[in-house]
Amino acid sequence: KPAIQVISKPSTRRETVTLTGSNFGPINTTFIQVILDDNECSNVTMIQAHKMISCSIAEGVGSNLSAKIIVGGQETVIYGFSRQAPTVKSTYPEPRAIGGDKITFIGDNFGPYSTSRYVLVGFDQKDFCTSVAVENHTRISCTAPAGFGRASVSVQVRGQKVTNDVIFKYQDPVVQAIAPDPVYPLKVVTIMGYNFGPTGTNLSVQMGDENCTDVNVMEDTNISCIAPLNISDNAPITISGHGIS
């Protein structure tokens, strides 16, 4: 009965796979079938008698998939066939903090377009992209959730997580106006602009060198806080948090 010991790990493209094991038959054996992840290989070739064969596999994704070999009617199945894991090299463009913008991830081993249903893109392990689509093996697009600053990205393709750390960044906050103007010490001030993130985002606000207190992001375009005691006229306003300032 044939036995599979090692299977090479192909990319998500159509590639040649090598299987190493025992009892594959002599060099001229022709009655061999190899079925990987329920897809039959083509061009099955004996490389080394009894021990090594190669075949061509179609595009695909995933890990710990089924591998079946049939030699002369004798069948063996294991669950140890895996594709190469996805990697992400970059993302673009920087979306607005309000969310809803299409972003693109550049990398490799995302799989063919048909694998879109297997892709999960997460930000800081809690907020997820929507409308995820695999454009090809090197590009994924999706609609960004609302957020602020820098966020770690997790990409999974049929259970395989991205193998490198990727930091994703939203557009920087922009302050357009404040009210009242001038600002009064220890009084509520409203900061107006955009890219402040969703309601409840945890941010810090400085006026000059002094910190505001009770900072509250009411929506992407409005922040309220209590002005510091010591504040100078025309003090610059700095909004920071989540890796940016």
Side-chain angles (χ1 to χ4, degrees):
K1 186 175 180 177
I4 302 171
Q5 296 172 339
V6 180
I7 308 174
S8 63
K9 186 179 288 188
S11 73
T12 57
R13 298 165 180 79
R14 182 178 182 86
E15 287 190 0
T16 298
V17 178
T18 300
L19 293 84
T20 303
S22 60
N23 299 323
F24 292 164
I27 198 71
N28 60 350
T29 298
T30 56
F31 299 103
I32 303 178
Q33 281 182 283
V34 178
I35 301 170
L36 301 175
D37 190 24
D38 297 326
N39 295 303
E40 185 168 359
C41 278
S42 60
N43 302 319
V44 179
T45 303
M46 185 72 70
I47 299 175
Q48 183 179 355
H50 306 289
K51 296 181 179 180
M52 185 179 295
I53 57 177
S54 67
C55 63
S56 298
I57 187 172
E59 298 175 311
V61 295
S63 63
N64 295 318
L65 308 171
S66 63
K68 178 190 295 185
I69 183 170
I70 305 172
V71 180
Q74 292 187 304
E75 176 181 308
T76 295
V77 180
I78 67 170
Y79 289 86
F81 170 60
S82 297
R83 299 280 187 159
Q84 294 177 24
T87 59
V88 176
K89 298 177 181 178
S90 61
T91 66
Y92 74 90
E94 293 180 358
R96 296 168 298 165
I98 197 173
D101 291 338
K102 178 182 176 180
I103 55 173
T104 299
F105 295 80
I106 302 299
D108 202 1
N109 291 318
F110 297 147
Y113 179 80
S114 61
T115 61
S116 296
R117 64 188 183 278
Y118 294 123
V119 177
L120 174 68
V121 180
F123 295 83
D124 285 337
Q125 311 302 314
K126 60 180 181 178
D127 299 312
F128 298 98
C129 265
T130 57
S131 303
V132 178
V134 176
E135 298 179 7
N136 52 49
H137 295 278
T138 62
R139 293 167 62 96
I140 294 176
S141 66
C142 66
T143 301
F148 182 88
R150 299 179 186 274
S152 61
V153 176
S154 173
V155 177
Q156 295 185 44
V157 180
R158 201 182 180 187
Q160 285 185 302
K161 291 185 178 181
V162 69
T163 57
N164 53 317
D165 293 329
V166 179
I167 299 297
F168 171 88
K169 181 178 176 297
Y170 286 92
Q171 293 178 16
D172 290 335
V174 175
V175 176
Q176 296 177 309
I178 57 174
D181 189 8
V183 174
Y184 298 101
L186 302 181
K187 298 296 184 181
V188 174
V189 58
T190 299
I191 302 167
M192 292 159 282
Y194 55 92
N195 286 330
F196 299 154
T199 300
T201 299
N202 186 18
L203 302 180
S204 296
V205 176
Q206 281 187 309
M207 294 184 173
D209 296 327
E210 302 294 326
N211 291 322
C212 281
T213 58
D214 295 333
V215 178
N216 180 28
V217 177
M218 296 180 286
E219 55 183 335
D220 181 70
T221 57
N222 282 275
I223 297 174
S224 69
C225 64
I226 304 299
L229 175 62
N230 300 311
I231 182 171
S232 58
D233 292 338
N234 299 317
I237 296 174
T238 303
I239 299 173
S240 60
H242 300 271
I244 69 167
S245 62

